[in-house]
Amino acid sequence: MKGADLLTGETIGMKRVVADRGYDANRIRAALRKQGTIPVIPGRRNRTRPIQYDERRYKDR
């Protein structure tokens, strides 16, 4: 997760970011949304509330 801050800085101007469950964190999602990027990241299995994401785009990654 330490490297995620560096990666979100490189995504400015992108419409979507597709990442695996390892990048499922509320702060990463918030940072992406703040810059106008749609996060396509499935939620971790231990989340109490499921995360909605574009399953088709994630599958086509």
Side-chain angles (χ1 to χ4, degrees):
M1 294 305 244
K2 292 179 182 179
D5 293 330
L6 296 172
L7 293 174
T8 54
E10 297 294 322
T11 60
I12 295 172
M14 291 184 182
K15 189 169 183 175
R16 290 179 186 81
V17 170
V18 180
D20 64 6
R21 293 177 196 273
Y23 292 96
D24 175 33
N26 291 335
R27 76 177 167 87
I28 294 173
R29 292 175 187 280
L32 290 172
R33 287 191 184 107
K34 185 177 177 182
Q35 66 189 23
T37 303
I38 301 168
V40 181
I41 307 169
R44 292 188 181 180
R45 297 174 202 264
N46 63 350
R47 274 198 179 259
T48 55
R49 191 172 48 115
I51 296 293
Q52 292 184 357
Y53 65 99
D54 190 340
E55 292 180 24
R56 184 185 60 80
R57 290 190 192 277
Y58 183 75
K59 184 179 177 183
D60 291 342
R61 75 187 188 288

